[in-house]
């Protein structure tokens, strides 16, 4: 069996360091907003190239808090890609804002900048740039639009830790960014965790307060805030793993290149990137019109797969108000996409076996 993602094997590499951190935290008796959090946030900001980094409870909260800190609410619109995980949209609607969907580029799966302008109105406040599957969006074009129309650019970097776009890391390509450190991410905690990066001191201070019940100091509440804090254990684990992130991402790039060079099945459309550094291959998503048959075939050979994602947000019951809207490129992707095993602990033998078996698939 080749698992889709072997989290035990990924984290076992750090066991001795994790054990030492657990002992340190238990001995300290300090579990929230302590030196582990400070250390990780300092190191993650330096990694991303930003002035500030804030740990929060999860990736959804990171985006929710950024939007809340900007003061966007009822009547405001935020541009989002139609092709994304639902958390992107939940962060918008949870603040009372209206998500406005824009189709992706069929080749990159990320938002198509050339389609954004036609969706702008006097109510548009921000563009949410989702670096889907680990690939950085076309940020030059997005930032140019934002500058022209006085919009904020919020990066949803939940899947792209460490990706580099024209010399800068994701998380430092817009006004603010939200990260998820869910266990399966390229930089994953051992539970839920998230983060915010920005170069805007005022925004950082406001996000920090909002995440702590809206409090700037104990029992003094200046905002209607949330309870969303990164605990010391997860911060410590993330700090340990951060040191290996570039190495792990480079291994993902090696695997991706092998897949792209060696999978030759005409029934399979491979993902692409124009710049290897701009993609960290959180997900290696192929497309095929024979998805169910291919899944069954791969399962029969012991290869696990996943679908990211079977149903787009505008077709979810939660967003029933958008069900009549049509986004054919998004729907084509969601109907045909299939994710292959991808992680830094996949062996060369496993990767070759996956490519060979895919090449033998006939339908």
């Amino acid at each position: 069996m080749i698992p889709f993602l072997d989290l035990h094997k990924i984290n076992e590499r750090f066991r001795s360091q994790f054990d030492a951190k657990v002992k340190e935290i238990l001995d300290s008796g300090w579990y929230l907003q302590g030196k582990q959090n400070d250390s990780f946030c300092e190191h993650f900001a330096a990694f991303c190239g930003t002035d500030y980094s804030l740990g929060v409870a999860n990736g959804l909260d990171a985006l929710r808090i950024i939007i809340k800190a900007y003061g966007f609410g009822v009547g405001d619109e935020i541009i989002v890609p139609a092709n994304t995980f639902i958390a992107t949209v939940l962060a918008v609607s949870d603040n009372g804002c209206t998500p406005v969907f824009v189709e992706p580029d069929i080749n990159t799966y990320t938002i198509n900048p050339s389609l954004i302008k036609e969706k702008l109105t006097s109510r548009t406040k921000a563009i949410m740039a989702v670096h889907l599957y680990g690939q950085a969006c076309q940020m030059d074009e997005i930032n140019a639009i934002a500058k022209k129309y006085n919009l904020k650019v919020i990066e949803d970097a939940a899947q792209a830790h460490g990706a580099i776009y024209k010399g800068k890391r994701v998380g430092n390509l817009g006004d603010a960014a939200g990260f998820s450190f869910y266990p399966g991410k390229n930089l994953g905690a051992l539970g839920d965790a998230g983060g915010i990066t920005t170069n805007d001191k005022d925004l950082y201070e406001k996000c920090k307060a909002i995440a702590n019940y809206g409090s700037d100091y104990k029992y003094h509440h200046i905002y209607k805030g949330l309870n969303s804090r990164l605990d010391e254990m997860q911060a410590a684990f993330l700090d340990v793993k951060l040191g290996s992130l570039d190495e792990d991402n480079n291994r993902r790039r090696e695997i991706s290149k092998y897949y792209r060079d060696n999978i030759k099945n005409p029934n399979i459309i491979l993902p692409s990137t124009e710049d290897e550094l701009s993609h960290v291959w959180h997900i290696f998503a192929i497309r095929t019109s024979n998805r169910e048959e291919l899944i069954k075939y791969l399962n029969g050979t012991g290869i696990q797969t996943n679908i990211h994602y079977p149903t787009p947000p505008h077709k979810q019951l939660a967003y029933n108000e958008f069900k009549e809207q049509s986004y054919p490129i998004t729907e084509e992707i969601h109907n045909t996409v299939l994710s292959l095993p991808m992680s830094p602990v996949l062996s060369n033998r496993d990767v070759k076996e996956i490519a060979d078996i895919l090449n033998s698939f006939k339908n």
Side-chain angles (χ1 to χ4, degrees):
M1 168 68 72
I2 301 176
F4 176 72
L5 183 64
D6 189 340
L7 289 177
H8 177 269
K9 192 172 182 180
I10 288 173
N11 288 311
E12 184 65 23
R13 301 174 298 164
F14 307 102
R15 179 181 284 270
S16 62
Q17 294 162 280
F18 287 169
D19 287 346
K21 286 293 184 181
V22 169
K23 183 179 186 305
E24 182 181 343
I25 292 165
L26 291 176
D27 287 346
S28 76
W30 195 284
Y31 309 118
L32 284 170
Q33 296 181 313
K35 69 176 187 178
Q36 305 295 339
N37 203 318
D38 291 343
S39 176
F40 171 67
C41 289
E42 178 184 346
H43 292 153
F44 192 64
F47 178 83
C48 294
T50 58
D51 292 335
Y52 305 100
S53 171
L54 174 69
V56 296
N58 54 69
L60 173 56
D61 276 5
L63 297 175
R64 291 169 67 207
I65 289 166
I66 292 168
I67 295 170
K68 191 176 183 70
Y70 276 128
F72 302 148
V74 176
D76 294 332
E77 296 175 350
I78 296 179
I79 298 291
V80 297
N83 178 41
T84 187
F85 180 55
I86 198 169
T88 309
V89 190
L90 289 170
V92 173
S93 61
D94 187 67
N95 279 283
C97 303
T98 300
V100 176
F101 297 107
V102 172
E103 286 269 58
D105 182 308
I106 190 64
N107 296 309
T108 65
Y109 306 141
T110 59
I111 193 168
N112 188 336
S114 67
L115 302 178
I116 291 176
K117 287 185 182 179
E118 64 190 51
K119 294 296 186 78
L120 300 180
T121 73
S122 60
R123 297 180 296 278
T124 308
K125 300 297 183 183
I127 301 170
M128 188 84 81
V130 181
H131 306 306
L132 196 71
Y133 299 155
Q135 179 153 224
C137 296
Q138 295 300 308
M139 295 303 296
D140 281 355
E141 292 90 337
I142 291 170
N143 283 324
I145 294 168
K147 183 177 180 180
K148 182 176 181 179
Y149 294 96
N150 194 31
L151 308 175
K152 296 298 183 183
V153 175
I154 303 169
E155 297 175 74
D156 181 341
Q159 300 183 1
H161 319 72
I164 299 171
Y165 175 82
K166 297 187 177 180
K168 296 175 69 175
R169 302 265 193 188
V170 301
N172 191 24
L173 302 174
D175 295 292
F179 287 86
S180 168
F181 302 120
Y182 180 78
K185 304 298 186 184
N186 290 34
L187 180 61
L190 274 66
D192 274 322
I196 294 168
T197 57
T198 186
N199 293 309
D200 183 335
K201 182 179 180 181
D202 290 341
L203 181 71
Y204 165 75
E205 294 291 352
K206 191 168 184 180
C207 287
K208 186 177 181 181
I210 288 171
N212 187 33
Y213 299 100
S215 174
D216 55 348
Y217 60 89
K218 195 168 185 178
Y219 301 135
H220 185 259
H221 304 272
I222 53 178
Y223 308 113
K224 296 174 182 176
L226 309 171
N227 174 23
S228 183
R229 296 172 295 199
L230 178 63
D231 71 71
E232 288 286 275
M233 285 290 187
Q234 301 306 334
F237 297 153
L238 289 166
D239 211 14
V240 167
K241 294 178 73 174
L242 180 59
S244 299
L245 180 55
D246 278 336
E247 181 182 350
D248 282 355
N249 283 342
N250 285 334
R251 175 58 181 158
R252 289 172 180 268
R253 292 184 181 110
E254 289 175 359
I255 294 168
S256 164
K257 189 173 189 311
Y258 187 91
Y259 279 157
R260 287 178 287 146
D261 287 347
N262 291 279
I263 297 173
K264 304 292 185 181
N265 193 317
N267 294 306
I268 292 171
I269 299 171
L270 296 170
S272 63
T273 181
E274 294 181 1
D275 179 359
E276 293 295 325
L277 289 178
S278 72
H279 208 319
V280 292
W281 302 101
H282 171 60
I283 299 296
F284 190 92
I286 63 173
R287 300 203 324 274
T288 177
S289 58
N290 304 316
R291 184 168 69 187
E292 295 309 314
E293 293 89 343
L294 181 55
I295 291 172
K296 183 177 179 181
Y297 176 75
L298 292 173
N299 283 344
T301 63
I303 298 172
Q304 290 184 346
T305 58
N306 209 328
I307 300 174
H308 297 86
Y309 300 95
T311 307
H314 72 282
K315 292 294 185 182
Q316 296 283 359
L317 184 60
Y319 288 102
N320 202 44
E321 65 267 35
F322 298 109
K323 67 178 181 181
E324 301 302 326
Q325 294 185 11
S326 176
Y327 301 98
I329 297 173
T330 293
E331 290 159 23
E332 167 70 14
I333 292 170
H334 286 250
N335 288 334
T336 59
V337 77
L338 181 66
S339 303
L340 301 183
M342 170 59 78
S343 87
V345 297
L346 273 178
S347 70
N348 289 340
R349 180 178 177 178
D350 287 341
V351 175
K352 183 180 185 302
E353 181 178 346
I354 291 165
D356 290 346
I357 289 173
L358 281 166
N359 286 334
S360 68
F361 173 69
K362 295 180 177 61
N363 187 283

